[in-house]
Amino acid sequence: MKYKIIILFLLITASCTNKKEEIKIENELSGNELSISNQQFINENMKLGKVVSHNFLKTITTNGLIEVPPNNVANISSYKNGYVNNVAVLVGDYVKKGDILVNLSSPEYISLQEEFLEKSAKLSFLEKDFNRKKQLFQDNLISKKNYLKVENDYKSTLINVNGLTEKLKLLNINIANLKSGKIASFIPIQATISGYISEINITKGSYVTSATKMIEIINTDHIHIELKVFEKDVMDVKKGQQILFKVPESSNKTFKAKITVVGNTIKNNRTVKVHAHIEEEGLKFIAGMFIEAEIIVDSKTSLSLPNSSIYKENDSTYILVLKEKNKDNYIFKKLPIKLGLKDDEFSEVLGIKDIEAKNILIAGNYML
């Protein structure tokens, strides 16, 4: 029984001692000053720093797409209906202007060439007859009526031949070869611009008309971004402003662009189109990529601190300013502050006298 009383007394004494120590620590942490040992300062990777001048940006958040100018996109079709004889490219291939993409065949192509040869032969005869009758008319050896009839036949046939020549050129048929008697059994469809094949809508044997979009080519040499800006923000958007944008599905890297055109028409979704030129060259963007963007419409440089140095306690905001450093401890003082502008990294500090001279705990405070 005696031993039990002694043990109970020791437990009560130890408990009272621990409570006193806890109260002492609690009071120390809840005051305006905080003492941190040198070892803790090192272990927690704490760091002192001063306020810095930081440029805060006023931005408009928007989104859009990577696009190319209309002249850098080509939809390849045929001027005449026909059947696909061969497809010479695949999606992703790079082609140069004039490269053969598709061969088409049709009896109509052959008939057109035959008509050209017949009209050309007739024109040759009529030209000689016209020149002969013209001389006879000048010598008053034939009537004006006969001369005008020959002239009319010659000129109308000449018009027909010239028209057929242009039609055949549109079909990429070699006129010189045709005049030598070589009738082409198919017509080559050529690339109208240099670029990458982005779309193929045909296969061998497909029947195509002049309205059929067979192939799409995109030239990415002059790629740009197209943004949608809501009408409430568009008054702040101007040509020449810088844009910071990301392609969220492929990278976290931020790219730069500059506004070149601000639209003057509001679409049904209450937005205005804004076009911008990408400043960096050689980037491997693909037309149609979705982007997230910030348009910088204004900026302000002011004294600021890293967000990691800002503490919030209840409704108060404060920082820890170094008051004293001795051989064992860093002693900090809590200093209430008011904040202004803020971004992902820094906060503007307002209304503190001589803050530039103060050493402030800016890192390693997450354990406090």
Side-chain angles (χ1 to χ4, degrees), residues 35 49 96 259:
S35 178
K96 294 181 179 179
I259 294 177

Side-chain angles (χ1 to χ4, degrees), residues 97-312:
K97 183 178 180 179
D99 286 352
I100 295 176
L101 308 176
V102 180
N103 287 326
L104 299 180
S105 60
S106 171
E108 187 178 357
Y109 307 154
I110 296 174
S111 298
L112 193 62
Q113 294 174 81
E114 290 174 341
E115 183 182 359
F116 171 81
L117 292 175
E118 291 172 0
K119 295 286 186 181
S120 295
K122 182 179 179 181
L123 178 64
S124 178
F125 169 78
L126 290 175
E127 183 179 14
K128 292 176 182 178
D129 190 43
F130 169 70
N131 290 331
R132 185 173 64 85
K133 294 288 178 63
K134 182 179 181 180
Q135 185 62 47
L136 291 174
F137 175 69
Q138 291 173 348
D139 295 338
N140 293 318
L141 297 176
I142 61 171
S143 66
K144 184 176 181 180
K145 180 180 179 181
N146 288 338
Y147 168 71
L148 291 176
K149 182 179 183 305
V150 171
E151 182 185 41
N152 181 66
D153 290 344
Y154 166 67
K155 288 185 176 180
S156 62
T157 304
L158 178 62
I159 291 171
N160 286 337
V161 170
N162 288 339
L164 288 169
T165 300
E166 295 305 314
K167 288 180 180 179
L168 293 171
K169 285 181 179 179
L170 289 175
L171 297 177
N172 297 315
I173 292 176
N174 190 303
I175 302 299
N177 288 343
L178 183 58
K179 285 182 177 179
S180 66
K182 297 178 181 178
I183 295 179
S185 59
F186 60 85
I187 62 170
I189 303 299
Q190 298 175 329
T192 54
I193 63 171
S194 298
Y196 292 93
I197 304 296
S198 60
E199 190 177 326
I200 297 178
N201 300 313
I202 53 171
T203 58
K204 186 173 183 178
S206 298
Y207 181 74
V208 299
T209 69
S210 58
T212 303
K213 175 184 173 182
M214 295 188 290
I215 292 175
E216 181 183 73
I217 304 173
I218 295 180
N219 185 316
T220 57
D221 289 346
H222 301 287
I223 208 162
H224 68 276
I225 63 176
E226 183 178 288
L227 303 175
K228 295 180 291 185
V229 177
F230 285 103
E231 61 178 314
K232 67 181 179 65
D233 297 321
V234 76
M235 296 298 291
D236 292 327
V237 178
K238 297 177 178 61
K239 181 179 178 180
Q241 288 174 336
Q242 192 173 67
I243 295 172
L244 304 177
F245 71 95
K246 294 180 180 179
V247 184
E249 295 300 323
S250 63
S251 168
N252 288 324
K253 184 178 178 181
T254 299
F255 304 95
K256 294 181 180 180
K258 186 170 289 187
I259 294 177
T260 54
V261 177
V262 179
N264 54 14
T265 303
I266 297 177
K267 304 298 180 182
N268 292 335
N269 58 1
R270 313 311 300 172
T271 63
V272 174
K273 287 187 177 181
V274 173
H275 297 266
H277 174 72
I278 299 172
E279 294 185 352
E280 298 173 71
E281 300 291 340
L283 298 173
K284 300 297 182 181
F285 290 125
I286 299 174
M289 279 182 163
F290 176 79
I291 64 170
E292 295 174 346
E294 300 282 341
I295 303 174
I296 301 173
V297 296
D298 198 3
S299 64
K300 176 186 177 183
T301 300
S302 58
L303 295 177
S304 61
L305 283 169
N307 292 332
S308 59
S309 65
I310 310 298
Y311 298 82
K312 287 190 176 180

